């Protein structure tokens, strides 16, 4: 694994996965997506892990997929690699067997918005914002967002691409807490600490129930 994805253990039973491409606003390149997928596969199988915090390096959570990589879609083999990577990335998040806590340290746009959506709990810095600007040229990951905020809000955000500021995100219940940026790490660790009080097998069963209730495991909400 390169340094595009950092994995550390900030507390007992807690792993943290950091998107580490700050010079590109943590844009989700093929390599970055594949390394995240590999890391989550390993963490999900690690019996010493009960919860994973997902965050971004720098001042951006993630600006979404690396659009420069879409220039090569005319090559069939390359296009297959790109879409296979994207599909696996989404599937690994959706089917991750343990709680995922997003520590949203800044803008979460397009595919970065999706990453926050695919986590179970979102703790946000007061600089966070969310949007689907790709709605002008691509469909978006609708089902998991619908599960969190309901159809009316999900359709609004997906059809218009309008920004969702952190105050509205909190009011809608999309984020659980809003804290100053310098307090984000501590807040995410506090939430993780509350989670790890439960046995790992209980967390796995509860996560499975939540995903099943949302219709996510069956694939109804992905339509990739």
């Amino acid at each position: 694994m390169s340094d595009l994805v950092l994995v550390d253990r900030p507390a007992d039973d807690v792993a943290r996965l950091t998107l580490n491409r700050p010079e590109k606003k943590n844009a989700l390149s093929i390599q970055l997506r594949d390394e995240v997928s590999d890391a989550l596969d390993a963490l999900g199988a690690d019996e010493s892990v009960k919860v994973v915090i997902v965050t971004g390096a720098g001042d951006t959570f993630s600006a979404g997929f690396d659009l420069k990589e879409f220039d090569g879609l005319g090559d069939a083999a390359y296009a297959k690699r790109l879409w296979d990577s994207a599909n696996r990335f989404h599937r690994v998040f959706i089917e991750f067997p343990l709680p995922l806590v997003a520590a949203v340290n800044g803008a979460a746009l397009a595919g970065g918005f999706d990453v926050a959506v695919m986590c179970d709990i979102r703790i946000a810095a007061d600089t966070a914002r969310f949007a689907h600007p790709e709605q002008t040229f691509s469909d978006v990951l609708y089902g998991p967002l619908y599960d969190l905020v309901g159809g009316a809000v999900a359709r609004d955000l997906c059809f218009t691409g309008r920004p969702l500021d952190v105050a509205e995100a909190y009011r809608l219940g999309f984020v659980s807490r809003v804290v100053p940026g310098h307090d984000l790490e501590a807040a995410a660790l506090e939430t993780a600490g509350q989670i790890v009080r439960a046995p790992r097998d209980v967390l796995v069963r509860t996560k499975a129930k939540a995903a099943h209730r949302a219709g996510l495991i069956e694939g109804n909400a992905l339509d990739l």
Side-chain angles (χ1 to χ4, degrees):
M1 185 176 293
S2 73
D3 60 0
L4 289 177
V5 176
L6 304 178
V7 176
D8 68 328
R9 300 294 295 271
D12 290 345
D13 303 318
V14 179
R16 178 169 52 200
L17 186 155
T18 302
L19 308 175
N20 189 40
R21 202 185 179 202
E23 74 284 358
K24 297 293 185 181
K25 299 187 181 300
N26 298 320
L28 302 169
S29 63
I30 293 172
Q31 183 180 357
L32 178 54
R33 292 196 304 271
D34 288 348
E35 291 191 14
V36 168
S37 296
D38 289 344
L40 286 177
D41 277 344
L43 291 170
D46 187 338
E47 293 291 329
S48 70
V49 174
K50 290 184 178 182
V51 60
V52 176
I53 297 170
V54 180
T55 194
D59 60 4
T60 302
F61 184 71
S62 174
F65 278 30
D66 190 334
L67 296 183
K68 290 183 178 179
E69 294 190 338
F70 286 78
D71 293 342
L73 288 179
D75 180 283
Y78 175 81
K80 183 178 187 304
R81 179 186 172 211
L82 185 148
W83 293 121
D84 284 352
S85 169
N87 289 343
R88 180 190 174 211
F89 179 78
H90 289 99
R91 184 66 61 184
V92 167
F93 265 99
I94 291 296
E95 296 185 350
F96 191 72
L98 296 164
L100 292 167
V101 176
V104 185
N105 55 300
L109 307 176
F113 190 178
D114 291 337
V115 171
V117 167
M118 292 185 296
C119 291
D120 299 291
I121 299 171
R122 284 147 296 281
I123 311 298
D126 53 12
T127 55
R129 58 188 175 90
F130 309 87
H132 273 306
E134 79 278 24
Q135 59 87 23
T136 59
F137 58 87
S138 174
D139 54 345
V140 302
L141 194 68
Y142 175 80
L145 180 60
Y146 169 89
D147 182 55
L148 298 176
V149 297
V153 174
R155 293 180 194 192
D156 177 10
L157 296 173
C158 292
F159 282 133
T160 68
R162 71 171 180 85
L164 179 69
D165 66 30
V166 75
E168 185 180 5
Y170 178 74
R171 179 175 61 80
L172 292 171
F174 178 69
V175 300
S176 300
R177 293 178 64 185
V178 179
V179 298
H182 57 79
D183 291 333
L184 181 63
E185 179 180 5
L189 286 171
E190 181 182 0
T191 296
Q194 293 169 335
I195 291 170
V196 301
R197 292 179 299 177
R200 190 178 191 276
D201 62 323
V202 171
L203 294 171
V204 169
R205 291 198 300 272
T206 301
K207 178 65 180 278
K209 290 177 183 178
H212 179 78
R213 175 64 181 83
L216 301 181
I217 294 298
E218 294 85 346
N220 298 334
L222 290 178
D223 298 324
L224 299 178

